[in-house]
Every structure is written in structure tokens, then in C-alpha cells.
């Protein structure tokens, strides 16, 4: 696997060629989705090391060094994700990647002063970035789908009663319970991120089954509305996007050639 995907390299190449790499929004409520592959084995780190990390700050380099003391693989994945985040955001802010300054909320969630709302998530082999055209908070979560050793314990601990019944029904009918469970978990995590982490610790109170079973996008919590959608990332991954408000945004996928394609909103 080439850890440096076309997303970053194409953007850099277009800039070197003097092409306009800005990615203006259409004027309608929309979310851009960017993806970046990550190395999954240490023998891929030689390729990962080829990334030009000049976009990163000295503090970020220091953090990478600290992470590398525990895991070289984890450190390189963090570096690639951070470089990816900066390289994409510079297309929206018209700033050099290194000049972008992140601020952090009380819950630790990063944001940009004068920049778009965004959310980043990464898992084994993949990083996903969502950028929105509105001021609405958003959250994205992606997980590598795999069997869970303590599946029943997780179902009992983190799911609402309705979610547990829905997953257990799938298990009894012979369906793939892992995929369904990951869909529930990524939905909850995206929901928590969209709320600014204020819902952290509310796992058993956030009921995603309304969106999963009844095909409804809009969920409500404590007087606030959230739009919850699933994202197609292939059979190896489960991903969810949550945006505050009641308006369902158009999803636009950003590919390596910086072209945009859209698809109908997918109900979680």
C-alpha cells in the first residue's frame, strides 16, 4: 500500500504547475469528504518517510518523536494524517499549510479561526476528513470493521435498549452482527464529535436506531437536532457523518484529481 495517496501528491503537483487548487463550495449546504490511506505495517514506513513534512510545525514534529518512542508505525500514521489535514485545509483557507493554526475547545476538539468547520478520523489503514460549507458543527468517524472479542459486553455497555434489540435480532437471524454493530458505534462517535464532545459519556443514551431502522436522518438530543448519515468506505470500513441542524447536506467526494462527484444522501 502506498501511504502517500494521490490526494496530497496531486494537490502539490497542481500547485507546482500553477493550477488553481481552490475548492469552492457550490453555495448549497454541503460536506466535502477527503480520504487518505495509511500504512498498516512497519515495512511500509520507508514509503511513508518520503512525505515532505515541512507543513508541520516544530510542536507537531516533537509530538511525532514522542509517539515514535512507543510505536514507529503509530508515529508515521499520525504524521501522515496531520500532513494530510494541513494540505487539504490550505485549499480552503488560501494559506500555506504550515501557517494554519489550530485552536482547541474545552473538550480538546480542534477548530480554525476564520476557517471552515472540519472533522478528522483515522483507523487502521485509512484517514477521513470532512469539511463543511456551513457554520454547523460536524463529526466524522471511521472504523476498521473486524470481529470484536467482547462483542456481547460492548453491546450491553454502550448500546441503548432499542439498539441492543436491533443488533441481537440480527445475530439471531444469522446476519453479520459485526458490520451492524460498527455502524451503531461509528454513528454514536460521529454524533459525539458533532456535539463538541459534550455528549461524551452518553453512549447509552444516544439512540441511533431511529436512523438505522426507521430511515430517518434527523435525530434529537436535549433540544438540539442532528443529521446522521453513513458513508460508503468499502466493506472493510464503517463510517458515519453527523452534522448539527435539520438540513441534510449534499455529500461531495473529493478525489485525487481534485474533481468532485456527488451521490444521494445515504441513510444510516
Amino acid at each position: 500500500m502506498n501511504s502517500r495517496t494521490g490526494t496530497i501528491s496531486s494537490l502539490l503537483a497542481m500547485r507546482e504547475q500553477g493550477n488553481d487548487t481552490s475548492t469552492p463550495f457550490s453555495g448549497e449546504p454541503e460536506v466535502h469528504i477527503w480520504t487518505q490511506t495509511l500504512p498498516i505495517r512497519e515495512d511500509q514506513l520507508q514509503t511513508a518517510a518520503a512525505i515532505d513534512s515541512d507543513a508541520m510545525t516544530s510542536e507537531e514534529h516533537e509530538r511525532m518523536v514522542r509517539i515514535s518512542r512507543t510505536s514507529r508505525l503509530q508515529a508515521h500514521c499520525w504524521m501522515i494524517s496531520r500532513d494530510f489535514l494541513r494540505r487539504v485545509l490550505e485549499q480552503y483557507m488560501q494559506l500555506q499549510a504550515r501557517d494554519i493554526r489550530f485552536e482547541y475547545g474545552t473538550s480538546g476538539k480542534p477548530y480554525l479561526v476564520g476557517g471552515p468547520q472540519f472533522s478528522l478520523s483515522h483507523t487502521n489503514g485509512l484517514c477521513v476528513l470532512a469539511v463543511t460549507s456551513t457554520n454547523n458543527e460536524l463529526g466524522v468517524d471511521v472504523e476498521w470493521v473486524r470481529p470484536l472479542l467482547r462483542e456481547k459486553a460492548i453491546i450491553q455497555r454502550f448500546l441503548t435498549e432499542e439498539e441492543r434489540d436491533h443488533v441481537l435480532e440480527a445475530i439471531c437471524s444469522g446476519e453479520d452482527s459485526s458490520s451492524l454493530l460498527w455502524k451503531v458505534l461509528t454513528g454514536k462517535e460521529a454524533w459525539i464529535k458533532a456535539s463538541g464532545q459534550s455528549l461524551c459519556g452518553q453512549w447509552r443514551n444516544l439512540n441511533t436506531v431511529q436512523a438505522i431502522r426507521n430511515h430517518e436522518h434527523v435525530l434529537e438530543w436535549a433540544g438540539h437536532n442532528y443529521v446522521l448519515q453513513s458513508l460508503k468506505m468499502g466493506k472493510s470500513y464503517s463510517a458515519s457523518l453527523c452534522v448539527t441542524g435539520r438540513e441534510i447536506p449534499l455529500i461531495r467526494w473529493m478525489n485525487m484529481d481534485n474533481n468532485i462527484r456527488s451521490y444521494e444522501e445515504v441513510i444510516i
Side-chain angles (χ1 to χ4, degrees):
M1 181 188 300
N2 186 345
S3 61
R4 187 178 190 180
T5 63
T7 298
I8 293 177
S9 59
S10 292
L11 291 176
L12 294 177
M14 285 187 288
R15 170 165 289 184
E16 290 171 358
Q17 295 168 8
N19 294 335
D20 180 11
T21 60
S22 62
T23 56
F25 292 108
S26 67
E28 299 295 328
E30 62 186 40
V31 175
H32 290 179
I33 302 295
W34 300 77
T35 60
Q36 165 76 49
T37 55
L38 300 173
I40 59 175
R41 302 186 308 272
E42 289 210 1
D43 62 4
Q44 296 170 331
L45 297 188
Q46 184 175 359
T47 303
I51 285 185
D52 179 5
S53 59
D54 287 344
M56 295 169 59
T57 64
S58 59
E59 291 81 5
E60 289 170 334
H61 280 285
E62 291 171 3
R63 180 174 177 180
M64 190 186 74
V65 170
R66 291 196 300 271
I67 298 173
S68 67
R69 293 169 185 163
T70 302
S71 169
R72 290 181 62 242
L73 179 59
Q74 184 178 354
H76 276 79
C77 287
W78 186 87
M79 177 189 71
I80 295 166
S81 298
R82 198 67 170 190
D83 186 74
F84 164 66
L85 174 63
R86 286 184 171 276
R87 298 293 188 186
V88 172
L89 289 179
E90 74 173 344
Q91 309 306 314
Y92 297 88
M93 299 187 68
Q94 299 303 300
L95 289 173
Q96 293 295 317
R98 185 181 177 85
D99 294 333
I100 294 174
R101 291 292 177 263
F102 297 104
E103 300 291 337
Y104 296 87
T106 55
S107 61
K109 183 179 180 180
Y111 66 93
L112 297 168
V113 176
Q117 297 281 356
F118 71 92
S119 181
L120 181 75
S121 180
H122 54 82
T123 187
N124 184 48
L126 183 65
C127 178
V128 178
L129 172 63
V131 185
T132 180
S133 64
T134 70
N135 290 324
N136 292 18
E137 294 282 348
L138 79 165
V140 69
D141 187 58
V142 61
E143 297 291 344
W144 174 47
V145 176
R146 71 257 186 212
L148 293 167
L149 296 178
R150 302 183 61 192
E151 183 175 285
K152 292 184 178 179
I154 290 172
I155 291 173
Q156 292 299 321
R157 181 177 179 182
F158 296 109
L159 272 58
T160 66
E161 183 176 353
E162 283 188 89
E163 289 171 335
R164 289 197 299 269
D165 290 344
H166 187 58
V167 173
L168 292 175
E169 286 174 9
I171 293 175
C172 292
S173 62
E175 295 181 32
D176 182 3
S177 59
S178 291
S179 296
L180 181 55
L181 180 55
W182 279 116
K183 181 179 287 190
V184 172
L185 295 177
T186 59
K188 286 177 180 285
E189 184 63 25
W191 196 348
I192 289 171
K193 287 183 177 182
S195 73
Q197 308 288 335
S198 61
L199 298 181
C200 193
Q202 299 291 332
W203 281 77
R204 292 188 66 176
N205 297 319
L206 298 177
N207 189 16
T208 64
V209 79
Q210 178 184 357
I212 296 174
R213 173 176 280 168
N214 299 329
H215 305 295
E216 295 181 19
H217 286 90
V218 181
L219 303 176
E220 188 272 339
W221 173 264
H224 298 284
N225 293 309
Y226 300 87
V227 174
L228 187 60
Q229 299 171 263
S230 65
L231 300 174
K232 293 182 179 179
M233 295 291 173
K235 64 179 181 180
S236 297
Y237 297 96
S238 178
S240 295
L241 172 72
C242 186
V243 181
T244 58
R246 297 185 60 85
E247 192 167 9
I248 299 172
L250 176 68
I251 304 297
R252 293 185 180 273
W253 292 84
M254 308 301 291
N255 65 23
M256 65 179 62
D257 297 318
N258 206 33
N259 294 322
I260 299 175
R261 62 181 175 85
S262 62
Y263 68 91
E264 295 294 330
E265 294 77 22
V266 178
I267 298 172
I268 189 170

